[in-house]
């Protein structure tokens, strides 16, 4: 029998979709297979344990990999490692196979070590910090060319031995600014200049180290700003974003009250724009400035729009009218049930977005008139989700029938995911006609859902169940 080249077999294993159990079976074949499979198992599954006992075994191996000097250092500081750790050299350098651990993994290791100890706050803080330091030193020294780092620790990762080999190829950096020391930021700048994605958490003020880190990146494409705590207006951060106009094409904002939105007009290459507002009190404040800059901005290459907690229907309509027709997805989830100009958004999409495949927006029945042109002009639509604005109280009129009749007559064959508001009230006849139209044009719906279900009766549910049984609908929240 011809022996399979190990390099070929290694490539097959890496590219395969074998689950954890199947890989374990391969591991037991012989020593050669074991040598190939162990790195793959640790790369894919080291941080994805199904239960506590498996997690504990992983942690024991990690602690066993600590150097003799680290173990002695911890012992000298009265930090007792489990008696089950391996005292002899391990068969593999397991740490070198792992993805760099998230902060939560390190926390879980510390919890395992200290769970049976009764410590006051000072002793716990001191011991926890020392153990965390040695574990991070281990990973920094053994992990090479990692692509993703979640930096949520005060440990000076960029100063540890091996930091250059570990972080020089970083592609995506998640960083909690409130946890990281300024000196570490400056050291990371010397190592890491090729980030594609930078996700920043918990910034509350202008930090020169952060500004320098952004400026140092030569090809920054994605920037996300999360969970800001406002202490001062971060004007320099806004200016730093503006200076990345040439490379930045993906922007995600989770707070609107920390930076000036003046940078928006500079981002001429933007393709993805996500803005989330979770602060109801912010609606009449800083948000007005964002609305202004959004209206005067021009993102001609825009492809994805995702807004939450905002009612910027008119602003979005104006923005979409200035694009080149490349938009693929629009999601706008308003928290203002009295929003206006929803029809303007539908018309703008209908006239300017021939490639769009997903649309989530709020509507009023007066907007239904625009849905026909939307369906006729946007023949690539595969997913629509229409939610109500003002909840209607007229129980004697089936507002939803008008919408379903339009969908029945004009839906493209590509449309396979539909979610509609139950506040509009549908007759069972309109349900029947719509599902029969799907049968007639050989369209099986992946999903048909009703939100709120205010007027959905048992008869509606029975109809949906029948069409599921017939294979016209794959899934629904109504059965």
């Amino acid at each position: 029998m011809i022996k399979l080249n190990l390099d070929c077999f290694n490539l097959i294993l890496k590219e395969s979709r074998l689950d954890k159990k199947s890989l374990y079976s391969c591991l037991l074949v012989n020593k050669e297979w074991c040598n190939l499979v162990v790195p793959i198992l640790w790369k894919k599954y080291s941080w994805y344990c199904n239960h506590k006992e498996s997690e504990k075994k992983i942690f024991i191996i990690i602690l066993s990999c600590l150097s003799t000097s680290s173990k002695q250092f911890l012992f000298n500081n009265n930090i007792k490692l489990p008696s089950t750790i391996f005292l002899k050299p391990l068969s593999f350098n397991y740490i070198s196979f792992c993805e760099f651990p998230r902060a939560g993994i390190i926390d879980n290791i510390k919890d395992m070590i200290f769970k049976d100890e009764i410590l006051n706050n000072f002793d716990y803080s001191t011991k926890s910090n020392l153990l965390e330091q040695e574990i991070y030193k281990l990973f920094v020294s053994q992990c090479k060319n990692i692509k993703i780092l979640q930096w949520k620790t005060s440990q000076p990762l960029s100063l540890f031995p091996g930091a250059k080999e570990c972080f020089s190829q970083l592609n995506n950096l998640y960083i909690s600014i409130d946890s990281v020391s300024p000196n570490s930021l400056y050291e990371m700048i010397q190592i890491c200049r090729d980030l594609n994605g930078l996700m920043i958490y918990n910034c509350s003020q202008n930090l020169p180290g952060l500004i320098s880190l952004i400026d140092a990146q030569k090809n920054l494409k994605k920037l996300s700003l999360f969970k800001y705590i406002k202490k001062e207006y971060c004007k320099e951060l806004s200016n730093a974003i503006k200076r990345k106009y040439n490379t930045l094409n993906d922007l995600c904002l989770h707070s609107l009250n920390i930076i000036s939105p003046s940078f928006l007009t500079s981002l001429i290459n933007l393709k993805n724009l996500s803005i989330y507002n979770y602060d109801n009190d912010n609606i009449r404040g800083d948000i007005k400035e964002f609305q202004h800059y959004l209206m005067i901005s021009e993102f001609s290459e825009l492809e994805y729009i995702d807004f939450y907690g905002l009612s910027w229907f008119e602003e979005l309509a104006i923005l979409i009218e200035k694009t080149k027709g490349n938009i693929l997805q629009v999601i706008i989830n308003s928290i203002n049930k009295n929003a206006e100009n929803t029809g303007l958004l539908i018309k703008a999409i209908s006239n300017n977005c021939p490639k769009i495949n997903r649309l989530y927006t709020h509507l009023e029945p007066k907007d239904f008139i625009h849905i026909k042109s939307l369906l006729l002009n946007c023949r690539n639509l595969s997913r629509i989700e229409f939610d109500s604005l003002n909840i209607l109280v007229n129980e004697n009129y089936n507002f939803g029938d008008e919408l379903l009749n339009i969908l029945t007559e004009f839906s493209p064959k590509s449309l396979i995911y539909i979610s509609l508001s139950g506040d509009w009230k549908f007759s069972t006849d309109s349900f029947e006609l719509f599902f029969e139209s799907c049968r007639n044009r050989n369209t099986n719906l992946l999903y048909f859902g009703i939100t709120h279900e205010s007027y959905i009766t048992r008869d509606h549910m029975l109809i949906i169940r029948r069409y599921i049984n017939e294979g016209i609908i794959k899934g629904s929240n109504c059965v």
Side-chain angles (χ1 to χ4, degrees):
M1 187 173 107
I2 299 175
K3 187 176 181 181
L4 184 64
N5 181 282
L6 287 180
D7 290 334
C8 292
F9 185 54
N10 189 31
L11 182 62
I12 291 170
L13 285 173
K14 285 182 177 179
E15 296 299 323
S16 71
R17 297 184 178 181
L18 293 176
D19 59 18
K20 191 174 183 180
K21 187 176 181 181
S22 300
L23 284 170
Y24 267 123
S25 299
C26 294
L27 181 150
L28 300 173
V29 173
N30 57 42
K31 186 175 181 180
E32 287 183 337
W33 283 45
C34 179
N35 290 337
L36 294 177
V37 172
V38 166
I40 298 171
L41 270 171
W42 274 77
K43 183 81 170 179
K44 286 186 175 181
Y45 297 108
S46 52
W47 310 134
Y48 299 95
C49 301
N50 294 328
H51 47 78
K52 285 290 183 182
E53 196 57 36
S54 296
E55 184 181 67
K56 183 177 179 181
K57 290 178 180 178
I58 294 289
F59 293 168
I60 290 296
I61 292 177
I62 289 170
L63 294 170
S64 300
C65 292
L66 287 168
S67 66
T68 303
S69 59
S70 285
K71 292 174 184 175
Q72 186 63 48
F73 173 77
L74 294 174
F75 177 79
N76 292 342
N77 284 277
N78 201 27
I79 298 173
K80 298 177 183 178
L81 298 178
S83 58
T84 50
I85 67 170
F86 299 93
L87 300 178
K88 295 181 179 180
L90 300 175
S91 302
F92 296 92
N93 183 5
Y94 295 98
I95 304 301
S96 66
F97 307 144
C98 293
E99 298 287 352
F100 203 87
R102 304 183 306 276
I105 298 294
I106 307 299
D107 290 339
N108 289 344
I109 297 176
K110 293 190 294 183
D111 289 343
M112 182 188 77
I113 296 298
F114 299 122
K115 69 175 183 178
D116 295 326
E117 290 193 52
I118 300 175
L119 301 170
N120 60 43
N121 290 338
F122 177 79
D123 287 340
Y124 175 79
S125 178
T126 302
K127 287 188 173 185
S128 174
N129 183 67
L130 293 176
L131 178 60
E132 182 181 284
Q133 169 186 286
E134 296 308 304
I135 294 173
Y136 272 122
K137 279 184 178 180
L138 171 66
F139 279 97
V140 171
S141 66
Q142 299 300 318
C143 293
K144 309 299 181 186
N145 301 323
I146 67 169
K147 303 299 182 183
I148 301 173
L149 172 65
Q150 185 193 87
W151 196 358
K152 189 181 179 182
T153 175
S154 59
Q155 299 296 334
L157 302 186
S158 50
L159 296 174
F160 288 157
K164 185 174 181 179
E165 293 76 12
C166 185
F167 302 128
S168 62
Q169 301 299 315
L170 262 184
N171 190 268
N172 287 282
L173 175 61
Y174 299 76
I175 180 168
S176 293
I177 290 299
D178 58 337
S179 301
V180 177
S181 70
N183 288 340
S184 297
L185 280 174
Y186 284 113
E187 290 296 331
M188 186 63 81
I189 294 168
Q190 308 307 314
I191 300 172
C192 172
R193 294 175 177 267
D194 290 305
L195 289 176
N196 282 336
L198 177 61
M199 282 56 74
I200 304 168
Y201 293 80
N202 300 330
C203 185
S204 60
Q205 55 190 319
N206 282 308
L207 294 174
L210 176 60
I211 306 305
S212 297
L213 179 65
I214 294 173
D215 283 336
Q217 305 313 311
K218 296 179 289 187
N219 194 33
L220 187 64
K221 294 179 179 178
K222 179 176 181 179
L223 181 66
S224 300
L225 310 177
F226 293 90
K227 298 181 182 177
Y228 277 128
I229 307 164
K230 185 171 183 178
K231 290 184 180 178
E232 62 180 59
Y233 213 51
C234 294
K235 182 178 179 181
E236 291 307 314
L237 179 57
S238 180
N239 291 336
I241 298 173
K242 187 182 299 185
R243 291 192 288 272
K244 292 298 164 186
Y245 73 93
N246 198 37
T247 61
L248 202 62
N249 60 32
D250 190 332
L251 178 68
C252 180
L253 304 175
H254 277 253
S255 183
L256 307 182
N257 64 349
I258 190 70
I259 55 175
S260 167
S262 59
F263 64 85
L264 285 172
T265 56
S266 302
L267 304 183
I268 55 177
N269 294 316
L270 206 63
K271 291 185 177 180
N272 300 347
L273 177 61
S274 301
I275 301 179
Y276 302 94
N277 176 53
Y278 301 104
D279 184 2
N280 292 338
D281 296 331
N282 197 32
I283 290 177
R284 293 180 297 274
D286 305 291
I287 204 169
K288 293 294 183 183
E289 190 178 4
F290 265 85
Q291 283 180 280
H292 166 71
Y293 278 102
L294 194 66
M295 288 187 74
I296 64 174
S297 296
E298 184 171 336
F299 310 131
S300 59
E301 304 297 330
L302 204 59
E303 294 180 2
Y304 294 91
I305 299 172
D306 189 357
F307 284 8
Y308 175 84
L310 300 163
S311 304
W312 295 351
F313 295 99
E314 181 180 5
E315 291 82 359
L316 275 177
I318 293 172
L319 194 68
I320 288 171
E321 288 170 355
K322 292 184 283 188
T323 62
K324 291 182 178 179
N326 294 321
I327 287 181
L328 301 174
Q329 175 178 292
V330 176
I331 300 174
I332 178 163
N333 192 343
S334 173
I335 57 175
N336 181 5
K337 291 300 181 180
N338 295 311
E340 298 178 347
N341 300 314
T342 53
L344 289 178
L345 177 64
I346 299 297
K347 285 195 289 185
I349 294 171
S350 174
N351 294 330
N352 299 278
C353 305
K355 299 178 182 179
I356 189 170
N357 56 55
R358 182 184 179 188
L359 172 61
Y360 179 108
T361 185
H362 295 265
L363 296 175
E364 292 185 272
K366 67 180 182 180
D367 300 322
F368 292 167
I369 192 174
H370 305 302
I371 301 302
K372 174 182 175 180
S373 59
L374 174 75
L375 298 174
L376 288 174
N377 295 341
C378 305
R379 303 303 289 179
N380 292 317
L381 271 172
S382 62
R383 178 169 179 166
I384 58 171
E385 297 157 90
F386 294 145
D387 206 348
S388 58
L389 278 173
N390 301 305
I391 296 178
L392 303 168
V393 295
N394 187 347
E395 298 183 7
N396 299 316
Y397 188 80
N398 296 332
F399 287 96
D401 283 4
E402 180 185 350
L403 179 57
L404 266 185
N405 290 340
I406 294 171
L407 290 170
T408 297
E409 189 170 354
F410 302 106
S411 288
K413 191 174 180 179
S414 60
L415 189 58
I416 59 173
Y417 187 111
I418 298 173
S419 177
L420 307 174
S421 172
D423 292 333
W424 291 324
K425 194 176 182 183
F426 306 90
S427 68
T428 53
D429 288 343
S430 66
F431 263 45
E432 291 271 9
L433 288 171
F434 174 69
F435 296 135
E436 282 301 318
S437 75
C438 293
R439 188 202 305 276
N440 293 338
R441 63 177 188 271
N442 296 318
T443 300
N444 293 335
L445 294 178
L446 184 65
Y447 179 82
F448 181 85
I450 300 290
T451 58
H452 312 309
E453 301 185 21
S454 302
Y455 299 111
I456 298 301
T457 66
R458 176 174 173 78
D459 289 337
H460 291 91
M461 296 180 186
L462 289 174
I463 292 171
I464 294 174
R465 169 56 67 187
R466 173 156 54 87
Y467 282 96
I468 287 178
N469 292 338
E470 293 178 13
I472 304 300
I473 307 171
K474 297 293 184 183
S476 174
N477 67 323
C478 298
V479 294

